[in-house]
Amino acid sequence: GLADRLQNTMQKIRGKGKVTEADVKDMMREVRLALLEADVNFKVVKSFVKKVSERSVGQEVMKSLTPGQQVIKVVKEELTDLMGGEQSQIAVAKRPPTVIMMVGLQGAGKTTTTGKLANLLRKRYNRKPLLVAADIYRPAAIKQLETLGKQLNMPVFSLGDQVSPVEIAKQAIEKAKEDHHDYVLIDTAGRLHVDENLMGELKDIKELTNPDEIFLVVDAMTGQDAVNVAQSFNEQLGVTGVILTKLDGDTRGGAALSIRAVTEKPIKFAGMGEKLDALEPFHPERMASRILGMGDVLTLIEKAQTNVDEEKAKELEQKMRTMSFTFDDFLEQLGQVRSMGPLDEIIKMLPGANKIKGLSNVQVDEKQISHIEAIIQSMTSEEKQHPEIISSGRKKRIARGSGTSIQEVNRLLKQFEEMKKMMKQMSGMQQKGKKKGMPF
Ligand code: GDP
Ligand code: MG
């Protein structure tokens, strides 16, 4: 993923106070390559990289984020922006029925998505759709829609394969009015490639039915081809929205980004599987994470940002240096870490955690942490500041007060001493590293 590509460059700029132009240039080279690799249109990549560069140069580096993470954050925000906000609304005609035309190439998922959309309209909006079988060319296409209709327990309108699609659409709308359907979903034919016959027929249906929505169904797995298809359908027919199918597969997501940027039409829904409930509103942010290939790391970055108070972080760093770190600080830190979520999940989100053997199934004992908190809370403030005064008599009192045992109190005191030692070493390393300009 993009995140992997950025790792090396990120190492270089770690520990700097500002992101320089040269740093950003380095990183943007990786971003450019990664996006092209993800099958994003080159023009889109070019303007995208320009925008991100402008935003990244000269930024102050936030304490809670490394400069690399910060650039990734900008990249993610811009990717999300490029795909627009969530746009899953569906038109409603002033006078029912609302007519929706489903168009796209053969195999893109039109028929399946017609069924899914009908299901969604009924479930989420309490609507009563009529499915229309207007693909008279593909063998068994009518049967396929009728099967879906049966599964959904919804009527399917068809006139066989000897009547023209335009005529079928016309009669279907009459029928919908008679039977009080509020939506008409027309499943049209596709071809292997965009051709004049196909477009001619679709234009005829459009002219006659005056649809409220024309949804272009595209297969996300086809990458750049999907973008070309979207462009010609939009130019020749005009579409109101795009539905990306097969996003449950192993696609890199480049199509999503380019389609939106090239056609300027919103991606409304995402097909996430073959089943009839596998249609979701399209989430630009999730897709951006997918393109970055680092969904969990981003979540972690966001959590770190909202939870770790900048001032407190600075204060803590100072304390680590001067060794005045106390049990009060420890308690506060525990609280901050915990507010980010369950500990074992946080550990799993750490970059590279999946590569460390055994770490992915580590179990952090939440109970043990509650005990630690209880023990610290049972100390007097003097004890918290100067743990060396904790005698065996005091230990007994603390154990009783916290509902733990003397052994546990002893263990915590020992751990705390070791932690302070470790901090001393770490802050020593940090100082040295800074002098030599080493990354830390
Ligand atoms: P059409 O020719 O455009 O009508 O395409 P179909 O609806 O017949 O779909 C072609 C194939 O893609 C079928 O096997 C569907 O089950 C499959 N399909 C459609 N949408 C999705 C999706 O979102 N995910 C997956 N995994 N398969 C899909
Ligand atoms: Mg079909």
Side-chain angles (χ1 to χ4, degrees), residues 105-107 109-112 135 138 141 144 187-190:
L105 293 187
Q106 199 166 80
K110 288 180 300 301
T111 306
T112 315
D135 179 0
R138 194 177 188 180
Q144 188 190 354
D187 179 31
T188 67

Side-chain angles (χ1 to χ4, degrees), residues 297-309:
V297 174
L298 282 163
T299 312
L300 186 66
I301 291 173
E302 273 151 24
K303 285 191 172 179
Q305 256 184 316
T306 46
N307 286 298
V308 180
D309 188 307

Side-chain angles (χ1 to χ4, degrees), residues 5 13 18 37 68 73 95 115 131 170 187 254 315-316 342 366 369 396 417-418 439:
R5 282 189 159 279
I13 59 174
K18 263 204 173 97
E37 235 171 47
K73 193 174 151 283
R95 254 184 301 144
L131 305 175
K170 188 174 147 196
D187 179 31
E315 213 177 281
L316 204 65
E366 297 275 337
I369 292 176
K396 221 185 254 171
E417 271 318 300
E418 272 162 16

Side-chain angles (χ1 to χ4, degrees), residues 35 38-42 44-45 82-83 223-224 226-227 230 253-264 267 291:
L35 289 178
D39 226 357
V40 179
N41 179 287
F42 77 96
V44 177
V45 173
L82 207 54
M83 287 182 278
Q224 284 292 313
V227 183
L257 198 65
S258 319
I259 283 175
R260 169 63 218 241
V262 169
T263 65
E264 291 184 346
I267 298 171
I291 292 168

Side-chain angles (χ1 to χ4, degrees), residues 108-109 112-113 116-117 120 217-221 243-251 253 256 267-284 286-287 290:
T112 315
T113 308
K116 287 178 182 175
L117 196 60
L120 192 97
V217 179
V218 282
D219 179 343
M221 305 286 281
I243 299 181
L244 267 185
T245 62
K246 306 182 196 180
L247 274 176
D248 51 312
D250 188 26
T251 165
I267 298 171
K268 296 213 159 196
F269 295 95
M272 302 299 294
E274 301 201 32
K275 294 213 179 106
L276 284 169
D277 58 0
L279 188 70
E280 296 176 2
F282 177 74
H283 299 289
R286 279 188 215 161
M287 185 51 66
R290 185 163 173 166

